[in-house]
Every structure is written in C-alpha cells, then in structure tokens.
C-alpha cells in the first residue's frame, strides 16, 4: 500500500543494519493483516524460562488472535498475561488466545502479555536472534526472530 513511504524507510534501514548490533534493530514482520513490531527477548539460562515481547497490530477489518507459538529452542511456548492476585502479580495462560481487534495494537511487554518459552534447550544470549513461529487464527503462521537483549532489560518485573 504505502509504497513511497516504505521506499524512503528502506535505505536508512539498510544503513542501520550495517552499523548497529542486531539486537538494536527495530525489526518488523507481517502475516496477512497482522504487523509484528520488534520482537525481542531477554538473556536467560539453559533449562530456564525465556520470554518473548513485541507489538501486534491488526491492519485489517477482521478480528484475529494469536493462538499459539512454537520455538525449536524451547520445549513449549505459551501465551501469558499477568494478573493481580491479592497484591501479588501472577502469570496465567491467555484463554483462547490473544485477541487483536481491527485497528488495534496489542503490546507484549514485561509485566503484561508475553510469550513464555518454557524449558530452554540452550541459553538465550544477548545479541543473538532466536527464531519463534507465531500462529494466528486468520493470518496463519509466521516465523520471527526475537532479538535477545540483556537479562532484566526494560523493567525486570517478570517473576517465575
Ligand atoms: Cu509467563
């Protein structure tokens, strides 16, 4: 659609890619009507639990939802949210997937919605890219790379 704007962003993007470490890039993906912005994670040890954060924007006219995920690096991937339970923040799987209404942007971030990478088969190391497949009800499956940032990046309020 916005071909002129995309073109004007292309060159600075390529220059940035050459100049900056991978984790610093604001990379993005699309699957059907879903735009996925800057998927990232945080350093974590093998056998531990990792997280996945990103923005999901529905650019179409039909509701969609993130229903599941898969990563070769983890035994299982779940979609979690945090709930307040008697003053304690607890994590809970999102029932039926994470809904993304038309025109809406849903943010997965520390302290809120996130992907949970359960049973890491190898450590998540800062600066690396970790492939994860996201499965949307309508938009289908798309592989994205989580850019691994420092442990505890942006908050560190995520408890397991
Ligand atoms: Cu979690």
């Amino acid at each position: 659609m916005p071909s002129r704007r995309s073109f004007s962003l292309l060159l600075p993007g390529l220059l940035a890619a050459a100049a900056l470490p991978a984790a610093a890039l604001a990379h993005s993906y699309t699957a059907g009507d879903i735009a996925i912005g800057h998927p990232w994670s945080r350093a974590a040890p093998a056998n531990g639990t990792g997280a996945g954060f990103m923005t999901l924007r529905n650019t179409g006219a039909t509701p969609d939802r993130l229903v599941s995920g898969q990563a070769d690096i983890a035994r299982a991937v779940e979609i979690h949210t945090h709930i307040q339970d008697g003053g304690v923040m607890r994590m809970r799987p999102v029932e039926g997937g994470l809904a993304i209404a038309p025109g809406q942007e849903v943010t997965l971030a520390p302290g809120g919605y996130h992907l949970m990478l359960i049973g890491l088969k190898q450590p998540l190391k800062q600066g690396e890219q970790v492939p994860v497949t996201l499965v949307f009800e309508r938009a289908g499956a798309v592989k994205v790379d989580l850019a691994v940032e420092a442990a505890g990046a942006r908050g560190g309020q995520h408890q397991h």
Side-chain angles (χ1 to χ4, degrees):
M1 319 172 277
S3 55
R4 184 177 296 175
R5 189 189 302 169
S6 300
F7 182 76
S8 68
L9 291 172
L10 184 60
L11 186 58
L14 290 174
L15 292 174
L20 296 173
L25 290 179
H27 55 304
S28 61
Y29 303 83
T30 56
D33 288 333
I34 303 297
I36 300 145
H38 188 49
W40 65 286
S41 186
R42 297 191 288 205
N47 301 313
T49 304
F53 310 113
M54 67 198 70
T55 57
L56 302 174
R57 170 170 286 278
N58 187 342
T59 64
T62 312
D64 203 347
R65 53 182 64 230
L66 176 64
V67 289
S68 64
Q70 187 274 330
D72 290 343
I73 199 175
R75 181 168 49 76
V77 176
E78 294 182 356
I79 305 161
H80 282 184
T81 188
H82 281 86
I83 56 153
Q84 193 78 262
D85 180 10
V88 179
M89 289 292 267
R90 297 185 191 283
M91 294 193 308
R92 172 169 294 182
V94 177
E95 301 285 339
L98 182 53
I100 315 157
Q104 190 192 6
E105 182 168 280
V106 176
T107 301
L108 285 73
Y113 293 122
H114 57 278
L115 294 183
M116 191 95 286
L117 279 56
I118 296 166
L120 291 173
K121 298 170 186 174
Q122 50 185 289
L124 301 182
K125 292 181 184 162
Q126 184 175 358
E128 287 184 349
Q129 304 269 327
V130 177
V132 171
T133 300
L134 306 174
V135 182
F136 297 92
E137 191 173 71
R138 279 181 53 84
V142 59
K143 199 171 221 179
V144 305
D145 287 329
L146 302 177
V148 182
E149 300 182 5
R154 261 204 250 168
Q157 47 205 312
H158 194 234
Q159 311 256 333
H160 293 110

